[in-house]
Amino acid sequence: NEGLATNLIPRAVRSFNEQYPSITYTILVDNTRRLVSRLRAGEIDFAVGYNFPTNTDLRFVEKLSLKMFLITARDHPLSKLPNVTISDLNNVNLVLPDSSLLLRQTFDVALSQSDALIRPIIETNSFDLIYALVGIGIGVGIVTGRTDEVMGRNNVEYVEISDVLLSSNVLACCHLPNRSLSIAAQTLMNTICAILRKSGDMQQKEQTEALSV
């Protein structure tokens, strides 16, 4: 998915390229449904994305549950809250992912069980654009995980979403079990999964520290 292509994948490729400088790559950015289609069509060796369907014939090598956040400009009133629910979004300008992205579908399900009257002013399939629009104060957005440490997105604030249906998304690395991976593809996949595990360990440590305060 797009956010991973600009956050996770550069770290993995840098580490991998230092060890195996002669390997070349083809990296395709797409939504989760299209990634599954590309796997089945044999266009890609493995995929990394959010909320893959669990009722498919995919083999999941690694899974990581990530918190979901509201992102706001630094001076937005909601940025001062410790956490938010959908009801806090009443009559707030929203910059949302469009319906081609599973995050939007998850949001719509949660919204259908709420009395909130939301005001989406922009829909887009680009999370980079969502960050840019939110950063200059056009509205607030919804994202999975935090990427500011890597991307330098220091013009937004992250506010944890506490609604049960929007509490987390599952980030996973998967491939088709009947597809033989090359040694290079298998090794790169293992490198990416190691980064995912490290991220999961760090998140668990942060949660434990927060509970102990």
Side-chain angles (χ1 to χ4, degrees), residues 84-106:
V84 295
T85 65
I86 289 183
S87 61
D88 293 313
L89 303 181
N90 265 318
N91 297 314
V92 175
N93 288 345
L94 294 178
V95 182
L96 293 176
D98 69 19
S99 59
S100 70
L101 300 172
L102 285 175
L103 177 55
R104 174 60 182 274
Q105 298 167 33
T106 302

Side-chain angles (χ1 to χ4, degrees), residues 128-142:
D128 282 340
L129 181 56
I130 289 176
Y131 271 96
L133 292 168
V134 168
I136 62 174
I138 298 297
V140 303
I142 296 173

Side-chain angles (χ1 to χ4, degrees), residues 159-189:
V159 185
E160 186 175 336
I161 298 175
S162 58
D163 285 274
V164 173
L165 291 176
L166 289 175
S167 59
S168 67
N169 269 341
V170 177
L171 171 60
C173 179
C174 61
H175 66 92
L176 290 179
N178 59 352
R179 178 178 174 84
S180 298
L181 300 183
S182 67
I183 294 176
Q186 181 73 52
T187 307
L188 176 59
M189 184 175 67

